[in-house]
Amino acid sequence: TRPAKHRETSFGARDFGGFQDCFFRDRPMDTAQIAVVGAGVAGLSTAVCISRLVPRCSVTVISDKFTPDTTSDVAAGMLIPHTYPDTPIHKQKQWFRETFNHLFAIANSAEAGDAGVHLVSGIKGSGGWTLTRRIEDLWELHPSFDVVVNCSGLGSRQLAGDSKIFPVRGQVLQVQAPWVEHFIRDGSGLTYIYPGTSHVTLGGTRQKGDWNLSPDAENSREILSRCCALEPSLHGACNIREKVGLRPYRPGVRLQTELLARDGRRLPVVHHYGHGSGGISVHWGTALEATRLVSECVHALRTPTPKSKL
């Protein structure tokens, strides 16, 4: 698979336009430039869907953090239906069904063993770009990009001025316990044991409004104690690593288009964030919906504006 092109920079917003030459010098004139802000499971899934389904476009994923430093890397990655109070039930079922079908196909394919990195390789195969950079304002991306997809999760408090989204802190332990072959989860879902391809994840915590990314020793002791009560053999687990992630919780996933306007300029933005702890469970379904919105934006950009007759 051809590696994705990658750029890393710490330049300020005013310098972003300088990258146009190296990014876009050979692009056809009708190629739509799409920026996806955020490199978690929502952002990468959306980038893959756009590159597959929107013709004549170039996708760049921009984030200050890539794997293994995202919240998605901390998550146990269990496919379990989640509820979003502000999102219609039929839409949640659609997202989950599309995500389940996508992951089920991977699980039954030759790529099953590499499923943990499938989304990244999908962006490499489509010839997209990744750029390590912190975005302070979505307007930084104008005019270098025609459409922006905001998958910044908690970053949307600043980038979209959304006070509805807040962190739910999750601390887990990643341990070596290869004899654990089946998952165990208590009724509330607060305590869980999820075996993965390289480690077993023990969890967890749900601390609303807590922005602390440093592991808490007391949390770790409580997690290990609760998990050992469910599976006593975990007393023999080794190579224990503490991990913390901040779930981007919102009453409903925000999936909508916003047209930003400033000094006569316009920038279409597709918002795609607020999955909370359910990102793994609905990511492909919501990414497909975000892609449909991007496609509508690109179509509008390519449709000539009728001139009024005087």
Side-chain angles (χ1 to χ4, degrees), residues 143-201:
S144 297
F145 295 92
D146 303 304
V147 181
V148 172
V149 187
N150 175 26
C151 300
S152 62
L154 288 172
S156 294
R157 287 183 66 89
Q158 173 182 335
L159 293 178
D162 191 344
S163 60
K164 290 184 178 180
I165 190 167
F166 61 89
V168 177
R169 182 179 181 274
Q171 181 164 324
V172 300
L173 302 178
Q174 295 177 350
V175 307
Q176 293 299 313
W179 59 88
V180 177
E181 298 180 348
H182 306 286
F183 76 84
I184 304 174
R185 184 175 185 265
D186 72 359
S188 68
L190 181 62
T191 303
Y192 51 84
I193 302 166
Y194 292 145
T197 56
S198 60
H199 57 260
V200 178
T201 301

Side-chain angles (χ1 to χ4, degrees), residues 82-295:
H82 290 263
T83 302
Y84 302 100
D86 288 359
T87 302
I89 293 297
H90 77 276
K91 184 60 66 174
Q92 297 184 50
K93 289 182 177 179
Q94 174 192 326
W95 294 342
F96 184 82
R97 181 174 61 253
E98 290 173 337
T99 302
F100 176 87
N101 291 340
H102 172 68
L103 295 179
F104 186 75
I106 295 175
N108 289 280
S109 73
E111 297 178 338
D114 297 323
V117 296
H118 174 78
L119 295 178
V120 174
S121 63
I123 289 178
K124 289 172 180 180
S126 299
W129 298 79
T130 62
L131 175 63
T132 301
R133 179 200 173 118
R134 183 177 181 83
I135 300 298
E136 302 291 347
D137 186 329
L138 294 178
W139 271 106
E140 296 175 24
L141 303 173
H142 184 280
S144 297
F145 295 92
D146 303 304
V147 181
V148 172
V149 187
N150 175 26
C151 300
S152 62
L154 288 172
S156 294
R157 287 183 66 89
Q158 173 182 335
L159 293 178
D162 191 344
S163 60
K164 290 184 178 180
I165 190 167
F166 61 89
V168 177
R169 182 179 181 274
Q171 181 164 324
V172 300
L173 302 178
Q174 295 177 350
V175 307
Q176 293 299 313
W179 59 88
V180 177
E181 298 180 348
H182 306 286
F183 76 84
I184 304 174
R185 184 175 185 265
D186 72 359
S188 68
L190 181 62
T191 303
Y192 51 84
I193 302 166
Y194 292 145
T197 56
S198 60
H199 57 260
V200 178
T201 301
L202 313 182
T205 65
R206 295 179 188 148
Q207 296 157 310
K208 294 183 179 180
D210 191 336
W211 291 85
N212 183 19
L213 282 169
S214 299
D216 180 273
E218 183 60 29
N219 286 166
S220 295
R221 284 191 290 269
E222 292 175 355
I223 292 169
L224 187 59
S225 175
R226 284 188 272 123
C227 290
C228 285
L230 291 180
E231 177 52 67
S233 70
L234 286 172
H235 283 292
C238 60
N239 296 333
I240 299 176
R241 294 181 296 170
E242 300 170 300
K243 297 289 184 178
V244 177
L246 303 180
R247 306 175 182 96
Y249 181 82
R250 195 175 185 274
V253 175
R254 188 180 183 191
L255 260 171
Q256 62 182 174
T257 302
E258 179 182 12
L259 185 61
L260 302 184
R262 184 180 295 181
D263 299 327
R265 299 170 297 162
R266 294 185 175 186
L267 179 64
V269 175
V270 173
H271 294 291
H272 178 204
Y273 63 85
H275 297 70
S277 59
I280 293 294
S281 299
V282 298
H283 71 278
W284 197 253
T286 59
L288 287 171
E289 185 154 334
T291 297
R292 287 189 282 270
L293 296 177
V294 170
S295 184

